[in-house]
Amino acid sequence: MANLIEMQGLQKAFTTHHLNKTMTAVEDISFGLEKGKFLGIVGKSGSGKSTIIKCIYRTYLPQHGHIYYDSEAFGRIDLVTAPERDIIHLRKNEIGYVSQFLSVMPRTTTLELVEQSLLETGADEETATLRAKEALRHFDIAEALWDSYPNTFSGGEKLRLNIARATVKNPRLLLLDEPTASLDNESKQKVREVIQKLKAGGTTLLGIFHDLEFMEGLCDYTYQMQERRMEAN
């Protein structure tokens, strides 16, 4: 089976200019992930796990290496050198990203946020509203909150909303950066159900989890940061 994403010799460093210091976050990271598979990235805190995810999403721009992605719109594309307009298109239509934190426009309601995710992909308003409501119900976000602004939400509510926004699109590639960090067991199970459904539908996933029990039975492979190697589960 062909790889959906392939990383070759990735290196990312950060420079603190006022101290004139450069710190290497990740170095010589290489792996390939087949379409429809789930890779869990594991390692101690500070080992660079989130940096890998952010380089794929192009929140960070690496200094060296390549990240090849088999895009539906553009074919094989290097996410490191791709034009910004192509990256924006991929984020809207093909690549989803879930972090621990919710960043939203002010004065946008909970329902509108999830609807916007679908409208970006070309869904009509009726379909966007219907699927947004289904996603919010699945993640137990009370209907009384749908017309509220999420900056008033608890950490767990914000995280569940973040997951709903990313997964409602059924992305081709979904990046998960500690998506269950502040969730209770019941909410974690909801996330697990969505991941299983997406995977069954062909979505490829890369995820970081400190909760190794949550990863049991979900991941096809793990990438060990310390040894810089990939293992089949």
Side-chain angles (χ1 to χ4, degrees):
M1 188 180 294
N3 286 334
L4 183 77
I5 191 159
E6 188 174 330
M7 188 170 289
Q8 297 179 0
L10 187 78
Q11 180 181 330
K12 174 62 182 173
F14 297 94
T15 300
T16 307
H17 293 285
H18 72 283
L19 296 176
N20 198 27
K21 286 187 177 180
T22 298
M23 300 287 292
T24 299
V26 294
E27 188 171 22
D28 194 26
I29 305 294
S30 300
F31 59 77
L33 184 60
E34 304 151 49
K35 295 176 181 177
K37 299 296 184 180
F38 190 170
L39 172 65
I41 303 174
V42 297
K44 64 183 181 181
S45 295
S47 61
K49 301 185 299 295
S50 292
T51 299
I52 291 176
I53 296 283
K54 290 175 181 177
C55 285
I56 295 171
Y57 200 61
R58 254 272 286 273
T59 308
Y60 293 161
L61 190 63
Q63 282 84 7
H64 299 287
H66 303 279
I67 305 171
Y68 294 109
Y69 168 69
D70 184 13
S71 167
E72 195 169 56
F74 308 114
R76 185 173 165 88
I77 186 172
D78 188 351
L79 299 176
V80 175
T81 59
E84 192 65 25
R85 65 179 179 276
D86 292 353
I87 297 296
I88 291 170
H89 176 91
L90 292 174
R91 288 174 178 173
K92 287 181 177 179
N93 297 281
E94 298 191 31
I95 301 177
Y97 175 74
V98 179
S99 75
Q100 301 176 49
F101 310 105
L102 180 68
S103 176
V104 299
M105 295 294 290
R107 306 198 69 78
T108 303
T109 69
T110 300
L111 180 60
E112 287 170 344
L113 282 169
V114 185
E115 287 174 335
Q116 284 172 5
S117 290
L118 290 160
L119 292 171
E120 287 177 349
T121 68
D124 62 74
E125 289 189 15
E126 184 177 352
T127 300
T129 299
L130 180 64
R131 289 181 57 192
K133 289 179 177 180
E134 288 174 351
L136 291 171
R137 287 192 188 100
H138 178 84
F139 286 107
D140 293 328
I141 297 176
E143 194 165 343
L145 299 176
W146 292 0
D147 292 325
S148 301
Y149 303 128
N151 59 346
T152 64
F153 285 12
S154 69
E157 287 167 338
K158 287 178 179 178
L159 186 49
R160 281 183 278 138
L161 175 56
N162 218 13
I163 296 168
R165 291 172 70 201
T167 58
V168 74
K169 296 183 180 186
N170 296 322
R172 296 183 77 234
L173 174 64
L174 181 60
L175 308 171
L176 301 160
D177 190 353
E178 292 287 356
T180 60
S182 59
L183 298 183
D184 57 32
N185 288 332
E186 185 176 348
S187 296
K188 286 180 182 179
Q189 183 57 36
K190 296 283 186 180
V191 175
R192 189 180 181 91
E193 289 171 9
V194 169
I195 287 174
Q196 289 170 329
K197 182 178 178 181
L198 289 171
K199 194 163 177 278
T203 294
T204 305
L205 300 105
L206 279 88
I208 299 167
F209 302 91
H210 278 126
D211 185 353
L212 298 182
E213 185 178 340
F214 180 86
M215 294 173 68
E216 286 283 330
L218 281 179
C219 295
D220 300 288
Y221 307 99
T222 55
Y223 185 87
Q224 303 283 345
M225 289 297 295
Q226 283 83 357
E227 293 85 11
R228 292 203 291 269
R229 60 187 170 86
M230 193 163 161
E231 298 175 346
N233 289 342

